[in-house]
Amino acid sequence: MSHIVREVDRPGSKPVHFWIGGNRLKRFEEWRWVSDGQRIEFFDFYKLQPNQDTSLCIVLWHPFKYDWADEPCTSSYGYICKI
Protein backbone atom coordinates (compact mmCIF):
# COMPACT_ATOMS: atom_id res chain seq x y z
CA MET A 1 0.00 0.00 0.00
CA SER A 2 2.96 2.35 0.55
CA HIS A 3 3.43 2.85 -3.21
CA ILE A 4 -0.15 4.13 -3.45
CA VAL A 5 0.39 6.49 -0.52
CA ARG A 6 3.54 7.88 -2.17
CA GLU A 7 1.54 8.63 -5.33
CA VAL A 8 -1.39 10.37 -3.64
CA ASP A 9 0.47 12.13 -0.83
CA ARG A 10 3.09 14.09 -2.75
CA PRO A 11 4.26 17.41 -1.28
CA GLY A 12 1.87 20.18 -2.29
CA SER A 13 -0.91 17.80 -3.29
CA LYS A 14 -4.45 18.27 -2.05
CA PRO A 15 -5.38 15.88 0.80
CA VAL A 16 -7.80 13.30 -0.47
CA HIS A 17 -9.50 10.14 0.79
CA PHE A 18 -10.12 6.98 -1.22
CA TRP A 19 -12.67 4.20 -1.08
CA ILE A 20 -10.98 0.80 -1.33
CA GLY A 21 -14.02 -1.42 -1.80
CA GLY A 22 -14.44 -2.93 1.65
CA ASN A 23 -17.79 -2.85 3.42
CA ARG A 24 -20.15 -4.49 5.86
CA LEU A 25 -23.41 -3.39 4.30
CA LYS A 26 -25.29 -6.06 6.19
CA ARG A 27 -24.96 -4.56 9.66
CA PHE A 28 -22.92 -6.51 12.17
CA GLU A 29 -21.71 -8.87 9.48
CA GLU A 30 -18.08 -9.43 8.55
CA TRP A 31 -16.18 -6.94 6.45
CA ARG A 32 -16.15 -8.02 2.77
CA TRP A 33 -14.74 -6.85 -0.56
CA VAL A 34 -17.32 -5.37 -2.94
CA SER A 35 -15.60 -6.77 -6.03
CA ASP A 36 -15.99 -10.46 -5.19
CA GLY A 37 -17.77 -10.72 -1.83
CA GLN A 38 -14.72 -12.32 -0.21
CA ARG A 39 -14.27 -11.87 3.52
CA ILE A 40 -11.49 -9.38 4.32
CA GLU A 41 -8.65 -11.27 5.99
CA PHE A 42 -6.21 -8.37 6.52
CA PHE A 43 -7.09 -5.11 8.27
CA ASP A 44 -5.17 -1.85 8.43
CA PHE A 45 -7.58 0.27 10.46
CA TYR A 46 -6.22 3.28 12.30
CA LYS A 47 -6.33 3.02 16.10
CA LEU A 48 -9.87 3.33 17.48
CA GLN A 49 -11.29 2.46 14.05
CA PRO A 50 -13.78 1.23 13.01
CA ASN A 51 -15.77 3.36 15.40
CA GLN A 52 -19.29 3.85 14.09
CA ASP A 53 -22.23 1.51 13.54
CA THR A 54 -23.47 3.74 10.72
CA SER A 55 -20.16 3.87 8.85
CA LEU A 56 -20.13 0.68 6.88
CA CYS A 57 -17.52 1.28 4.18
CA ILE A 58 -13.70 1.41 4.30
CA VAL A 59 -11.73 4.47 3.18
CA LEU A 60 -8.03 5.32 3.07
CA TRP A 61 -8.14 8.38 5.32
CA HIS A 62 -5.64 11.21 4.77
CA PRO A 63 -5.47 12.49 8.42
CA PHE A 64 -4.60 8.93 9.49
CA LYS A 65 -1.70 8.76 6.98
CA TYR A 66 -3.93 6.62 4.77
CA ASP A 67 -4.63 3.94 7.33
CA TRP A 68 -8.17 2.63 7.05
CA ALA A 69 -11.20 4.30 8.58
CA ASP A 70 -14.90 3.51 8.46
CA GLU A 71 -17.10 6.08 6.79
CA PRO A 72 -20.73 6.31 5.69
CA CYS A 73 -20.99 4.74 2.24
CA THR A 74 -22.82 7.83 0.99
CA SER A 75 -19.74 10.07 1.37
CA SER A 76 -18.20 11.25 -1.90
CA TYR A 77 -14.52 10.30 -2.33
CA GLY A 78 -12.23 9.00 -5.03
CA TYR A 79 -11.68 5.28 -5.28
CA ILE A 80 -8.93 2.75 -5.84
CA CYS A 81 -9.80 -0.42 -7.73
CA LYS A 82 -8.29 -3.86 -7.54
CA ILE A 83 -6.56 -4.75 -10.81
Side-chain angles (χ1 to χ4, degrees), residues 6 8 16 22 27 29 33-34 36 40 50-51 54:
R6 278 194 304 274
V8 300
V16 292
R27 289 187 77 179
E29 194 173 281
W33 295 114
V34 171
D36 58 13
I40 298 175
N51 65 352
T54 58

Side-chain angles (χ1 to χ4, degrees), residues 31-45:
W31 290 95
R32 296 192 174 269
W33 295 114
V34 171
S35 58
D36 58 13
Q38 292 290 318
R39 189 173 64 122
I40 298 175
E41 303 275 337
F42 166 82
F43 294 95
D44 195 21
F45 281 108

Side-chain angles (χ1 to χ4, degrees), residues 5 7 9 20-21 25 36 44 48 52 59 67-68 73 82:
V5 171
E7 286 298 314
D9 201 26
I20 61 170
L25 293 179
D36 58 13
D44 195 21
L48 305 177
Q52 300 180 42
V59 65
D67 282 351
W68 297 4
C73 301
K82 180 175 146 183

Side-chain angles (χ1 to χ4, degrees), residues 62-80:
H62 179 265
F64 299 160
K65 299 185 188 223
Y66 293 102
D67 282 351
W68 297 4
D70 60 330
E71 277 288 294
C73 301
T74 55
S75 297
S76 181
Y77 301 125
Y79 56 90
I80 296 175

